[in-house]
């Protein structure tokens, strides 16, 4: 397994993905912080740190995060469909399961600094806004770590979408529709987002509730992400084998 991960890490255009990730964080930070500072004067004392976190992370996690992950995994997979590379790998007894795991692992590793960049932006923004840092920052650290877990289910779904369509544009379009679906659920029944895969980053970052997980909420969150990850990992493996 280590050899697979090492090979994928060397093949992956890491700088390209990091630049894309930084762009998404910068765009969402501009929108979120602009909204916060425009309304800062009317905020109730003692709530500024929570409101800032909500504004900073909501658009990123609900609208931009799924397409970003879709781009990441599509870039990782696209090389396997070029020049019948997948068929060549399979003819050399390469394990599809291990190949896919290695891609998911390497992409997830690149997601980590991007998620922590969002946290750094938050901490810097608190200082700029002269908002006193409290224990709430520690909660945001916990939620940032959980958001990395939430990325795995979306990555698996988008890996399947790309393997099924073999189209970069279509797979990104699916992620955008998925993200908008979560936005629609906010107006229909927000509780349904707990079970909706494209809203898992919103759940992880607590962008709407701004309060920590209860025990039951955390169990549901972990279960849903494991469920979607395992199901779509298996579906993607099946789809890739069909392409051999």
């Amino acid at each position: 397994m280590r050899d697979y991960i090492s090979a994928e890490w060397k093949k992956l255009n890491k700088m390209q993905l990091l630049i894309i990730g930084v762009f998404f964080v910068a765009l969402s930070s501009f929108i979120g912080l602009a909204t916060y500072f425009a309304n800062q004067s009317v905020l109730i004392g003692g709530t500024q740190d929570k409101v800032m976190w909500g504004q900073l992370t909501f658009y990123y996690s609900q609208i931009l995060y799924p397409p970003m992950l879709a781009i990441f995994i599509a870039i990782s997979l696209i090389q396997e469909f070029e020049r019948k590379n997948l068929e060549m790998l399979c003819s050399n007894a390469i394990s599809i399961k291990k190949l896919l795991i290695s891609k998911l692992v390497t992409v997830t590793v690149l997601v980590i600094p991007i998620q922590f960049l969002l946290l750094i932006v938050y901490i810097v923004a608190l200082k700029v806004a002269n908002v006193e840092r409290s224990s709430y920052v520690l909660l945001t650290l916990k939620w940032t770590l959980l958001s990395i877990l939430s990325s795995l289910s979306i990555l698996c779904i988008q890996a399947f979408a790309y393997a099924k369509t073999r189209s970069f544009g279509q797979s990104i379009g699916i992620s955008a529709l998925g993200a908008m679906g979560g936005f629609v659920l906010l107006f229909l029944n927000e509780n349904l987002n707990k079970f909706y895969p494209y809203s898992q980053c919103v759940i992880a970052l607590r962008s709407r509730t701004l309060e920590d997980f209860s025990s039951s909420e955390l169990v549901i969150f972990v279960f849903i992400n494991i469920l979607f990850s395992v199901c779509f990992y298996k579906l993607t493996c099946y789809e890739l084998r069909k392409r051999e």
Side-chain angles (χ1 to χ4, degrees):
M1 191 68 241
R2 184 181 300 176
D3 292 338
Y4 281 82
I5 294 174
S6 177
E8 283 302 318
W9 184 253
K10 291 177 182 177
K11 286 194 298 182
L12 193 61
N13 192 333
K14 296 174 281 294
M15 187 56 64
Q16 179 188 27
L17 297 191
L18 287 173
I19 290 172
I20 292 170
V22 169
F23 170 77
F24 274 83
V25 170
L27 177 61
S28 63
S29 297
F30 175 79
I31 296 171
L33 292 177
T35 304
Y36 170 82
F37 283 110
N39 296 281
Q40 186 180 18
S41 60
V42 300
L43 296 178
I44 300 173
T47 64
Q48 291 95 332
D49 52 352
K50 292 183 178 181
V51 174
M52 181 185 288
W53 178 255
Q55 293 291 344
L56 177 64
T57 60
F58 175 70
Y59 293 103
Y60 172 73
S61 58
Q62 183 65 70
I63 304 298
L64 298 177
Y65 195 61
M68 183 188 80
L69 293 180
I71 292 171
F72 279 20
I73 196 65
I75 289 175
S76 178
L77 284 167
I78 196 169
Q79 57 194 330
E80 308 305 346
F81 291 98
E82 293 177 345
R83 298 183 297 276
K84 297 186 177 181
N85 193 40
L86 185 62
E87 290 86 342
M88 182 187 70
L89 290 173
C90 291
S91 66
N92 290 319
I94 296 296
S95 169
I96 291 294
K97 290 183 178 180
K98 291 182 179 180
L99 177 66
L100 181 56
I101 288 175
S102 66
K103 289 183 178 295
L104 293 170
V105 169
T106 52
V107 170
T108 301
V109 168
L110 287 177
V111 168
I112 294 173
I114 293 168
Q115 294 303 89
F116 274 95
L117 175 60
L118 186 68
L119 179 60
I120 292 169
V121 170
Y122 171 64
I123 294 172
V124 171
L126 285 176
K127 186 173 183 179
V128 171
N130 293 317
V131 176
E132 184 178 352
R133 280 177 286 181
S134 64
S135 59
Y136 194 75
V137 174
L138 294 178
L139 277 179
T140 61
L141 173 60
K142 171 187 173 181
W143 300 339
T144 300
L145 292 171
L146 287 173
S147 73
I148 297 167
L149 171 62
S150 74
S151 68
L152 190 57
S153 56
I154 301 175
L155 286 172
C156 289
I157 293 172
Q158 288 304 135
F160 174 71
Y162 183 80
K164 188 73 174 178
T165 63
R166 290 201 190 189
S167 169
F168 185 87
Q170 287 184 41
S171 65
I172 306 307
I174 290 170
S175 70
L177 289 174
M180 292 307 298
F183 197 76
V184 171
L185 285 178
L186 292 176
F187 298 97
L188 298 179
N189 187 340
E190 190 169 350
N191 287 327
L192 293 177
N193 273 321
K194 295 178 182 179
F195 310 98
Y196 186 65
Y198 287 96
S199 293
Q200 290 308 299
C201 187
V202 181
I203 303 298
L205 292 174
R206 314 306 285 164
S207 301
R208 294 284 294 176
T209 64
L210 305 178
E211 299 291 343
D212 200 11
F213 286 91
S214 66
S215 297
S216 60
E217 286 175 332
L218 186 58
V219 169
I220 291 172
F221 169 77
V222 173
F223 174 76
I224 290 297
N225 280 278
I226 291 175
L227 177 65
F228 278 105
S229 297
V230 171
C231 288
F232 279 91
Y233 165 75
K234 291 184 176 181
L235 286 171
T236 306
C237 288
Y238 173 74
E239 191 63 33
L240 290 174
R241 288 195 190 97
K242 285 172 57 179
R243 305 292 182 176
E244 294 179 19

